[in-house]
Amino acid sequence: MAAPGSSTATSKLASAWPSRFEWKLIFAFWTLIAVFTVGTRLLDPRGGDLGSVMLFPKAGRVFASYYLWALVTPLIFWMAARFEPKRSQLLRTVLAHLGVGFLVALGIDFATDLLRIHVLPVPAPRPATFQPLQAIARFWFINELVIYGAILATGFARVYYLRERMRQQEAERLAREAQELEAQKAELEAQLAAARLEALRMQLNPHFLFNTLHAISTLVGHDPKGVRRMIARLSTLLRYVLEENGRQESPLSEEIGFLRGYLEIQEIRFQGRLNVEIEIEPGVESALVPSLILQPIVENAMKHGTSEQTGHGRVVVRAYREGEELVLEVADNGPGLDEPPAAVMERGTGLTNVRARLEGLYGNAHRLSFHASAFGGLAVTIRLPYHEAGDLYAPSADDEEGAPLAGSTT
Protein backbone atom coordinates (compact mmCIF):
# COMPACT_ATOMS: atom_id res chain seq x y z
CA MET A 1 0.00 0.00 0.00
CA ALA A 2 1.32 3.38 -0.93
CA ALA A 3 2.19 5.76 1.85
CA PRO A 4 -0.41 8.46 2.65
CA GLY A 5 -0.07 11.41 0.34
CA SER A 6 2.05 9.54 -2.19
CA SER A 7 -0.59 9.86 -4.95
CA THR A 8 -0.85 13.60 -4.28
CA ALA A 9 2.92 13.98 -4.42
CA THR A 10 3.02 11.98 -7.64
CA SER A 11 0.33 14.17 -9.20
CA LYS A 12 2.17 17.34 -8.23
CA LEU A 13 5.42 16.09 -9.70
CA ALA A 14 3.81 14.86 -12.91
CA SER A 15 1.88 18.10 -13.48
CA ALA A 16 4.75 20.43 -12.63
CA TRP A 17 6.14 22.72 -15.28
CA PRO A 18 9.36 21.55 -16.87
CA SER A 19 12.53 22.05 -14.90
CA ARG A 20 15.38 24.22 -16.14
CA PHE A 21 17.05 21.15 -17.59
CA GLU A 22 13.86 20.18 -19.44
CA TRP A 23 13.56 23.71 -20.86
CA LYS A 24 17.06 23.36 -22.25
CA LEU A 25 16.20 20.01 -23.77
CA ILE A 26 13.03 21.42 -25.33
CA PHE A 27 14.83 24.34 -27.01
CA ALA A 28 17.74 22.12 -28.05
CA PHE A 29 15.28 19.69 -29.66
CA TRP A 30 13.39 22.35 -31.63
CA THR A 31 16.64 24.04 -32.64
CA LEU A 32 17.88 20.72 -33.98
CA ILE A 33 14.61 20.20 -35.92
CA ALA A 34 14.92 23.70 -37.40
CA VAL A 35 18.54 23.14 -38.43
CA PHE A 36 17.62 19.81 -40.10
CA THR A 37 14.70 21.45 -41.91
CA VAL A 38 16.82 24.34 -43.24
CA GLY A 39 19.68 22.01 -44.14
CA THR A 40 17.33 19.66 -46.01
CA ARG A 41 15.98 22.52 -48.07
CA LEU A 42 19.45 23.84 -48.85
CA LEU A 43 20.62 20.39 -49.96
CA ASP A 44 17.55 19.69 -52.05
CA PRO A 45 18.89 18.65 -55.50
CA ARG A 46 15.97 20.40 -57.12
CA GLY A 47 17.32 23.76 -55.97
CA GLY A 48 15.09 24.09 -52.95
CA ASP A 49 13.26 27.21 -52.01
CA LEU A 50 16.11 28.92 -50.13
CA GLY A 51 17.91 31.01 -52.68
CA SER A 52 20.63 33.42 -51.64
CA VAL A 53 18.18 36.34 -51.58
CA MET A 54 15.50 34.47 -49.63
CA LEU A 55 17.85 32.50 -47.32
CA PHE A 56 17.53 34.70 -44.27
CA PRO A 57 13.78 35.36 -44.28
CA LYS A 58 12.79 31.79 -45.10
CA ALA A 59 15.28 30.27 -42.69
CA GLY A 60 14.08 32.80 -40.12
CA ARG A 61 10.50 31.63 -40.67
CA VAL A 62 11.52 28.02 -40.01
CA PHE A 63 13.34 28.88 -36.79
CA ALA A 64 10.56 31.23 -35.63
CA SER A 65 7.90 28.60 -36.27
CA TYR A 66 9.73 25.89 -34.32
CA TYR A 67 10.59 28.25 -31.48
CA LEU A 68 6.89 29.01 -31.16
CA TRP A 69 6.39 25.28 -30.69
CA ALA A 70 9.16 25.31 -28.09
CA LEU A 71 7.26 27.99 -26.15
CA VAL A 72 3.95 26.10 -26.16
CA THR A 73 5.48 22.65 -25.47
CA PRO A 74 5.41 23.18 -21.65
CA LEU A 75 1.71 24.10 -21.93
CA ILE A 76 1.02 20.88 -23.83
CA PHE A 77 2.98 18.91 -21.24
CA TRP A 78 0.81 20.47 -18.53
CA MET A 79 -2.31 19.50 -20.47
CA ALA A 80 -1.01 15.93 -20.74
CA ALA A 81 -0.67 15.78 -16.95
CA ARG A 82 -3.92 17.60 -16.24
CA PHE A 83 -6.06 15.49 -18.58
CA GLU A 84 -4.72 11.94 -18.60
CA PRO A 85 -6.54 9.31 -20.69
CA LYS A 86 -8.56 7.59 -17.95
CA ARG A 87 -11.46 5.30 -18.71
CA SER A 88 -13.75 7.06 -16.25
CA GLN A 89 -13.13 10.47 -17.88
CA LEU A 90 -12.30 9.47 -21.43
CA LEU A 91 -14.87 11.70 -23.21
CA ARG A 92 -13.92 14.73 -21.12
CA THR A 93 -10.22 14.11 -21.80
CA VAL A 94 -10.68 13.70 -25.57
CA LEU A 95 -12.80 16.86 -25.83
CA ALA A 96 -10.31 18.87 -23.77
CA HIS A 97 -7.35 17.84 -25.91
CA LEU A 98 -9.25 18.37 -29.19
CA GLY A 99 -10.26 21.84 -28.08
CA VAL A 100 -6.83 22.86 -26.87
CA GLY A 101 -5.16 21.22 -29.86
CA PHE A 102 -7.46 23.11 -32.25
CA LEU A 103 -6.67 26.44 -30.56
CA VAL A 104 -2.91 25.80 -30.40
CA ALA A 105 -2.76 24.67 -34.02
CA LEU A 106 -4.69 27.74 -35.18
CA GLY A 107 -2.53 30.00 -33.01
CA ILE A 108 0.71 28.63 -34.40
CA ASP A 109 -0.62 28.78 -37.97
CA PHE A 110 -1.83 32.39 -37.59
CA ALA A 111 1.42 33.46 -35.90
CA THR A 112 3.46 31.85 -38.66
CA ASP A 113 1.38 33.64 -41.32
CA LEU A 114 1.84 36.99 -39.61
CA LEU A 115 5.60 36.43 -39.38
CA ARG A 116 5.70 35.42 -43.04
CA ILE A 117 3.71 38.48 -44.18
CA HIS A 118 4.79 41.29 -41.86
CA VAL A 119 8.10 40.36 -40.24
CA LEU A 120 10.00 38.13 -42.67
CA PRO A 121 8.50 38.82 -46.12
CA VAL A 122 10.13 37.63 -49.33
CA PRO A 123 9.85 39.21 -52.80
CA ALA A 124 6.88 37.75 -54.69
CA PRO A 125 4.88 38.81 -57.77
CA ARG A 126 1.74 38.70 -55.68
CA PRO A 127 1.85 39.97 -52.08
CA ALA A 128 0.59 37.49 -49.48
CA THR A 129 -2.36 38.44 -47.30
CA PHE A 130 -3.57 37.21 -43.91
CA GLN A 131 -6.71 35.11 -44.43
CA PRO A 132 -7.73 33.45 -41.14
CA LEU A 133 -11.21 32.37 -42.22
CA GLN A 134 -9.88 30.71 -45.34
CA ALA A 135 -7.19 28.96 -43.26
CA ILE A 136 -9.89 27.53 -41.00
CA ALA A 137 -12.17 26.56 -43.85
CA ARG A 138 -9.42 24.81 -45.80
CA PHE A 139 -7.77 23.20 -42.73
CA TRP A 140 -4.39 24.82 -43.43
CA PHE A 141 -3.60 24.18 -39.74
CA ILE A 142 -3.76 20.40 -40.09
CA ASN A 143 0.07 20.05 -39.98
CA GLU A 144 0.17 22.04 -36.74
CA LEU A 145 -2.56 19.80 -35.29
CA VAL A 146 -0.47 16.71 -36.09
CA ILE A 147 2.56 18.29 -34.41
CA TYR A 148 0.38 19.06 -31.38
CA GLY A 149 -0.62 15.39 -31.22
CA ALA A 150 3.02 14.29 -31.33
CA ILE A 151 3.96 16.67 -28.52
CA LEU A 152 0.91 15.51 -26.52
CA ALA A 153 1.99 11.89 -26.85
CA THR A 154 5.46 12.89 -25.60
CA GLY A 155 3.78 14.66 -22.69
CA PHE A 156 1.89 11.49 -21.76
CA ALA A 157 5.15 9.54 -21.84
CA ARG A 158 6.74 12.22 -19.63
CA VAL A 159 3.92 11.95 -17.09
CA TYR A 160 4.20 8.16 -16.92
CA TYR A 161 7.99 8.39 -16.59
CA LEU A 162 7.82 10.98 -13.81
CA ARG A 163 5.16 9.01 -11.95
CA GLU A 164 7.15 5.81 -12.20
CA ARG A 165 10.26 7.60 -11.01
CA MET A 166 8.30 9.06 -8.09
CA ARG A 167 7.04 5.59 -7.17
CA GLN A 168 10.55 4.20 -7.36
CA GLN A 169 11.88 7.00 -5.17
CA GLU A 170 9.03 6.45 -2.73
CA ALA A 171 9.75 2.72 -2.67
CA GLU A 172 13.45 3.41 -2.06
CA ARG A 173 12.56 5.87 0.70
CA LEU A 174 10.26 3.35 2.36
CA ALA A 175 12.93 0.65 2.01
CA ARG A 176 15.49 2.94 3.64
CA GLU A 177 13.06 3.78 6.44
CA ALA A 178 12.31 0.08 6.89
CA GLN A 179 16.03 -0.68 7.13
CA GLU A 180 16.51 2.15 9.61
CA LEU A 181 13.57 0.93 11.68
CA GLU A 182 14.90 -2.62 11.55
CA ALA A 183 18.32 -1.40 12.67
CA GLN A 184 16.73 0.63 15.46
CA LYS A 185 14.64 -2.38 16.47
CA ALA A 186 17.73 -4.60 16.57
CA GLU A 187 19.61 -1.99 18.58
CA LEU A 188 16.74 -1.59 21.04
CA GLU A 189 16.41 -5.36 21.38
CA ALA A 190 20.14 -5.62 22.06
CA GLN A 191 19.93 -2.83 24.63
CA LEU A 192 16.92 -4.48 26.24
CA ALA A 193 18.69 -7.83 26.40
CA ALA A 194 21.80 -6.18 27.86
CA ALA A 195 19.69 -4.30 30.42
CA ARG A 196 17.90 -7.52 31.36
CA LEU A 197 21.17 -9.39 31.80
CA GLU A 198 22.61 -6.55 33.83
CA ALA A 199 19.54 -6.51 36.04
CA LEU A 200 19.90 -10.24 36.64
CA ARG A 201 23.60 -9.86 37.43
CA MET A 202 22.93 -7.01 39.86
CA GLN A 203 20.19 -9.09 41.47
CA LEU A 204 22.67 -11.94 41.94
CA ASN A 205 25.31 -9.76 43.61
CA PRO A 206 23.12 -8.68 46.56
CA HIS A 207 21.90 -12.27 46.90
CA PHE A 208 25.48 -13.48 47.23
CA LEU A 209 26.33 -10.63 49.62
CA PHE A 210 23.37 -11.22 51.94
CA ASN A 211 24.05 -14.96 52.17
CA THR A 212 27.72 -14.33 52.92
CA LEU A 213 26.91 -11.77 55.61
CA HIS A 214 24.50 -14.24 57.15
CA ALA A 215 27.28 -16.83 57.21
CA ILE A 216 29.56 -14.33 58.96
CA SER A 217 26.90 -13.52 61.54
CA THR A 218 26.65 -17.17 62.58
CA LEU A 219 30.33 -17.18 63.66
CA VAL A 220 30.57 -13.84 65.42
CA GLY A 221 30.03 -15.28 68.89
CA HIS A 222 32.37 -18.28 68.91
CA ASP A 223 35.02 -17.76 66.16
CA PRO A 224 36.16 -14.10 66.00
CA LYS A 225 39.37 -15.07 64.19
CA GLY A 226 37.41 -16.89 61.51
CA VAL A 227 35.09 -13.89 61.18
CA ARG A 228 38.06 -11.59 60.52
CA ARG A 229 39.32 -13.96 57.82
CA MET A 230 35.84 -14.14 56.25
CA ILE A 231 35.53 -10.35 56.21
CA ALA A 232 38.94 -10.05 54.52
CA ARG A 233 37.93 -12.60 51.85
CA LEU A 234 34.57 -10.87 51.42
CA SER A 235 36.32 -7.55 50.85
CA THR A 236 38.39 -9.11 48.08
CA LEU A 237 35.32 -10.66 46.46
CA LEU A 238 33.33 -7.43 46.61
CA ARG A 239 36.20 -5.53 45.01
CA TYR A 240 36.16 -8.05 42.15
CA VAL A 241 32.40 -7.73 41.72
CA LEU A 242 32.46 -3.92 41.73
CA GLU A 243 35.47 -3.60 39.43
CA GLU A 244 34.32 -5.95 36.66
CA ASN A 245 32.41 -3.05 35.02
CA GLY A 246 29.26 -4.97 34.20
CA ARG A 247 30.93 -7.65 32.08
CA GLN A 248 28.48 -10.40 31.26
CA GLU A 249 31.28 -12.88 30.51
CA SER A 250 34.68 -13.46 32.04
CA PRO A 251 37.46 -16.03 31.54
CA LEU A 252 36.97 -19.31 33.35
CA SER A 253 40.21 -18.72 35.25
CA GLU A 254 38.75 -15.54 36.82
CA GLU A 255 35.49 -17.30 37.60
CA ILE A 256 37.36 -20.11 39.35
CA GLY A 257 39.51 -17.59 41.22
CA PHE A 258 36.40 -15.84 42.49
CA LEU A 259 34.86 -19.20 43.41
CA ARG A 260 37.95 -20.21 45.43
CA GLY A 261 37.69 -16.99 47.45
CA TYR A 262 34.01 -17.62 48.10
CA LEU A 263 34.73 -21.22 49.14
CA GLU A 264 37.35 -20.07 51.62
CA ILE A 265 34.60 -18.14 53.37
CA GLN A 266 32.29 -21.15 53.33
CA GLU A 267 34.98 -23.52 54.62
CA ILE A 268 35.45 -21.25 57.64
CA ARG A 269 31.69 -21.17 58.12
CA PHE A 270 31.24 -24.96 58.04
CA GLN A 271 34.16 -25.60 60.39
CA GLY A 272 35.61 -28.67 58.68
CA ARG A 273 32.27 -30.14 57.58
CA LEU A 274 32.81 -29.14 53.93
CA ASN A 275 35.17 -30.66 51.39
CA VAL A 276 35.41 -28.93 47.99
CA GLU A 277 37.27 -30.28 44.97
CA ILE A 278 37.91 -28.21 41.82
CA GLU A 279 39.02 -30.05 38.68
CA ILE A 280 39.82 -27.90 35.65
CA GLU A 281 40.96 -29.53 32.42
CA PRO A 282 44.21 -27.92 31.21
CA GLY A 283 43.72 -25.57 28.29
CA VAL A 284 40.19 -24.36 29.06
CA GLU A 285 41.12 -21.59 31.50
CA SER A 286 40.70 -18.89 28.83
CA ALA A 287 37.18 -19.98 27.82
CA LEU A 288 34.52 -17.36 28.48
CA VAL A 289 31.69 -18.11 30.89
CA PRO A 290 28.94 -15.92 32.36
CA SER A 291 30.30 -13.92 35.28
CA LEU A 292 29.42 -15.37 38.73
CA ILE A 293 27.63 -18.32 37.10
CA LEU A 294 29.14 -21.00 39.35
CA GLN A 295 28.70 -19.31 42.76
CA PRO A 296 24.90 -19.76 43.08
CA ILE A 297 25.14 -23.37 41.87
CA VAL A 298 27.90 -24.15 44.37
CA GLU A 299 25.91 -22.38 47.08
CA ASN A 300 22.92 -24.58 46.33
CA ALA A 301 25.15 -27.69 46.36
CA MET A 302 26.60 -26.75 49.77
CA LYS A 303 23.13 -26.12 51.15
CA HIS A 304 22.06 -29.69 50.33
CA GLY A 305 25.42 -31.43 50.57
CA THR A 306 26.04 -30.34 54.16
CA SER A 307 22.58 -31.02 55.55
CA GLU A 308 22.02 -32.76 58.84
CA GLN A 309 21.37 -36.03 57.03
CA THR A 310 24.73 -36.04 55.25
CA GLY A 311 26.83 -34.66 58.09
CA HIS A 312 29.99 -34.01 56.05
CA GLY A 313 29.47 -32.15 52.79
CA ARG A 314 31.30 -32.76 49.57
CA VAL A 315 31.15 -30.54 46.48
CA VAL A 316 33.02 -31.24 43.26
CA VAL A 317 33.40 -28.56 40.57
CA ARG A 318 34.59 -29.71 37.15
CA ALA A 319 35.23 -27.88 33.88
CA TYR A 320 36.26 -29.56 30.64
CA ARG A 321 35.80 -29.35 26.89
CA GLU A 322 33.76 -31.70 24.71
CA GLY A 323 34.04 -30.81 21.03
CA GLU A 324 32.74 -27.30 20.55
CA GLU A 325 31.19 -27.15 24.02
CA LEU A 326 32.50 -26.17 27.43
CA VAL A 327 31.02 -28.33 30.19
CA LEU A 328 30.66 -27.01 33.74
CA GLU A 329 29.54 -29.46 36.41
CA VAL A 330 28.82 -29.01 40.11
CA ALA A 331 28.05 -32.19 42.07
CA ASP A 332 27.28 -32.75 45.75
CA ASN A 333 26.69 -35.72 48.06
CA GLY A 334 23.32 -34.53 49.27
CA PRO A 335 20.01 -36.40 49.15
CA GLY A 336 19.82 -36.06 45.36
CA LEU A 337 16.98 -35.00 43.11
CA ASP A 338 13.72 -35.72 44.89
CA GLU A 339 11.55 -33.31 42.88
CA PRO A 340 11.08 -32.23 39.22
CA PRO A 341 13.85 -30.05 37.72
CA ALA A 342 11.43 -27.12 37.27
CA ALA A 343 10.74 -27.17 41.02
CA VAL A 344 14.47 -27.10 41.72
CA MET A 345 14.82 -24.00 39.57
CA GLU A 346 12.03 -22.24 41.42
CA ARG A 347 13.43 -22.86 44.89
CA GLY A 348 15.70 -19.82 44.99
CA THR A 349 16.78 -16.64 43.29
CA GLY A 350 20.26 -17.92 42.43
CA LEU A 351 19.30 -20.85 40.18
CA THR A 352 16.46 -18.87 38.60
CA ASN A 353 18.93 -16.16 37.63
CA VAL A 354 21.36 -18.76 36.32
CA ARG A 355 18.78 -20.08 33.87
CA ALA A 356 17.64 -16.58 32.83
CA ARG A 357 21.20 -15.40 32.19
CA LEU A 358 22.07 -18.49 30.19
CA GLU A 359 18.97 -18.03 28.02
CA GLY A 360 19.72 -14.34 27.52
CA LEU A 361 23.36 -14.91 26.57
CA TYR A 362 23.22 -18.14 24.56
CA GLY A 363 19.61 -18.90 23.61
CA ASN A 364 19.15 -22.50 22.51
CA ALA A 365 22.92 -22.95 22.25
CA HIS A 366 23.19 -23.88 25.93
CA ARG A 367 21.92 -26.79 28.04
CA LEU A 368 21.19 -26.84 31.77
CA SER A 369 20.45 -30.27 33.24
CA PHE A 370 20.13 -32.09 36.57
CA HIS A 371 21.04 -35.68 37.26
CA ALA A 372 22.37 -37.92 40.01
CA SER A 373 26.01 -37.41 40.93
CA ALA A 374 28.59 -40.20 41.09
CA PHE A 375 28.52 -40.16 44.91
CA GLY A 376 24.77 -40.13 45.46
CA GLY A 377 23.82 -36.48 45.44
CA LEU A 378 22.75 -34.02 42.76
CA ALA A 379 24.84 -32.90 39.80
CA VAL A 380 24.09 -29.71 37.84
CA THR A 381 25.60 -29.59 34.35
CA ILE A 382 25.89 -26.55 32.08
CA ARG A 383 26.93 -26.89 28.46
CA LEU A 384 28.00 -23.69 26.67
CA PRO A 385 29.43 -22.91 23.22
CA TYR A 386 33.18 -22.94 23.66
CA HIS A 387 34.56 -19.48 22.83
CA GLU A 388 37.38 -17.27 24.00
CA ALA A 389 37.99 -13.53 24.15
CA GLY A 390 39.29 -13.42 20.56
CA ASP A 391 36.19 -15.13 19.18
CA LEU A 392 33.08 -13.31 17.97
CA TYR A 393 30.32 -15.50 19.32
CA ALA A 394 26.63 -14.68 18.94
CA PRO A 395 23.60 -16.96 19.11
CA SER A 396 22.26 -17.94 15.68
CA ALA A 397 18.76 -17.06 14.49
CA ASP A 398 17.58 -20.49 15.64
CA ASP A 399 18.78 -19.73 19.18
CA GLU A 400 16.77 -16.57 19.78
CA GLU A 401 13.92 -18.12 21.75
CA GLY A 402 16.19 -19.37 24.52
CA ALA A 403 16.85 -22.88 25.74
CA PRO A 404 14.21 -24.90 27.50
CA LEU A 405 15.08 -26.36 30.87
CA ALA A 406 16.47 -29.84 30.32
CA GLY A 407 16.22 -32.13 33.29
CA SER A 408 16.89 -35.85 33.60
CA THR A 409 17.47 -38.31 36.34
CA THR A 410 19.74 -41.31 36.04
Side-chain angles (χ1 to χ4, degrees):
M1 179 180 295
S6 61
S7 59
T8 303
T10 303
S11 178
K12 288 182 179 179
L13 178 60
S15 61
W17 286 88
S19 62
R20 182 178 300 179
F21 177 72
E22 287 181 303
W23 274 101
K24 292 179 180 179
L25 286 180
I26 290 171
F27 274 93
F29 171 78
W30 288 112
T31 299
L32 188 62
I33 294 298
V35 169
F36 282 164
T37 301
V38 173
T40 300
R41 294 183 181 180
L42 283 174
L43 298 175
D44 192 340
R46 295 169 297 179
D49 57 356
L50 296 179
S52 58
V53 177
M54 297 182 293
L55 176 62
F56 176 75
K58 287 201 171 184
R61 291 177 186 178
V62 173
F63 276 89
S65 174
Y66 286 131
Y67 281 144
L68 285 174
W69 281 113
L71 291 174
V72 300
T73 295
L75 173 63
I76 301 173
F77 282 176
W78 180 85
M79 284 293 299
R82 181 66 179 81
F83 298 97
E84 291 186 67
K86 299 178 181 178
R87 181 175 299 179
S88 59
Q89 300 175 346
L90 187 59
L91 180 60
R92 173 173 172 264
T93 301
V94 171
L95 292 177
H97 286 303
L98 285 177
V100 174
F102 181 78
L103 294 176
V104 170
L106 280 180
I108 296 292
D109 184 72
F110 291 167
T112 304
D113 286 345
L114 291 174
L115 284 171
R116 178 171 54 84
I117 295 171
H118 299 290
V119 180
L120 298 169
V122 295
R126 184 177 177 179
T129 57
F130 181 57
Q131 300 175 346
L133 296 179
Q134 188 175 7
I136 295 174
R138 297 187 178 183
F139 288 93
W140 288 348
F141 60 89
I142 192 66
N143 289 338
E144 284 76 11
L145 192 59
V146 171
I147 295 176
Y148 174 87
I151 300 174
L152 183 64
T154 305
F156 287 146
R158 171 181 176 268
V159 170
Y160 296 147
Y161 166 75
L162 292 178
R163 178 168 287 114
E164 186 61 29
R165 187 176 69 176
M166 170 66 81
R167 289 173 180 169
Q168 183 177 0
Q169 291 174 347
E170 182 71 8
E172 292 174 353
R173 183 185 67 83
L174 292 175
R176 287 195 301 270
E177 290 181 356
Q179 291 177 351
E180 293 174 359
L181 289 175
E182 190 66 25
Q184 293 175 1
K185 177 184 176 182
E187 182 178 358
L188 289 175
E189 289 178 348
Q191 292 176 355
L192 180 61
R196 178 173 175 269
L197 288 171
E198 181 64 14
L200 291 170
R201 191 183 67 85
M202 294 305 295
Q203 185 180 5
L204 181 62
N205 291 344
H207 177 75
F208 152 73
L209 177 61
F210 295 152
N211 287 348
T212 304
L213 289 176
H214 176 72
I216 292 175
S217 68
T218 60
L219 298 179
V220 169
H222 60 276
D223 190 4
K225 184 178 179 181
V227 168
R228 287 194 295 270
R229 289 173 57 197
M230 291 176 72
I231 292 175
R233 297 294 182 272
L234 178 61
S235 174
T236 302
L237 297 182
L238 289 179
R239 184 179 297 111
Y240 171 81
V241 171
L242 295 175
E243 290 179 354
E244 65 177 353
N245 296 323
R247 292 182 303 169
Q248 292 300 334
E249 291 184 314
S250 57
L252 178 62
S253 58
E254 292 186 14
E255 178 72 6
I256 295 300
F258 176 85
L259 186 62
R260 291 184 189 278
Y262 171 76
L263 289 173
E264 287 184 27
I265 295 176
Q266 300 305 320
E267 287 172 349
I268 297 172
R269 172 193 171 190
F270 285 103
Q271 299 288 306
R273 293 186 297 112
L274 175 65
N275 179 31
V276 180
E277 303 172 21
I278 299 179
E279 303 174 3
I280 307 298
E281 180 182 288
V284 301
E285 295 86 353
S286 59
L288 293 180
V289 298
S291 300
L292 308 182
I293 198 67
L294 290 176
Q295 182 270 329
I297 301 176
V298 171
E299 179 181 348
N300 186 72
M302 290 187 301
K303 178 180 178 181
H304 296 281
T306 56
S307 62
E308 294 181 359
Q309 291 82 0
T310 58
H312 189 280
R314 181 185 181 189
V315 176
V316 177
V317 179
R318 300 177 61 213
Y320 55 94
R321 182 173 182 174
E322 281 190 357
E324 297 300 318
E325 291 184 326
L326 176 68
V327 182
L328 305 176
E329 185 177 280
V330 178
D332 62 59
N333 65 336
L337 188 67
D338 56 357
E339 53 187 328
V344 175
M345 295 302 299
E346 294 174 357
R347 284 192 306 203
T349 303
L351 290 180
T352 301
N353 280 349
V354 166
R355 179 176 62 176
R357 292 186 65 206
L358 289 172
E359 290 177 351
L361 284 171
Y362 308 109
N364 285 338
H366 86 281
R367 290 292 180 272
L368 175 62
S369 61
F370 301 86
H371 54 90
S373 69
F375 33 92
L378 175 68
V380 180
T381 302
I382 300 175
R383 292 181 176 271
L384 307 174
Y386 188 94
H387 61 294
E388 300 180 359
D391 301 331
L392 294 176
Y393 169 78
S396 65
D398 295 335
D399 299 335
E400 292 180 354
E401 296 300 325
L405 175 63
S408 61
T409 59
T410 58

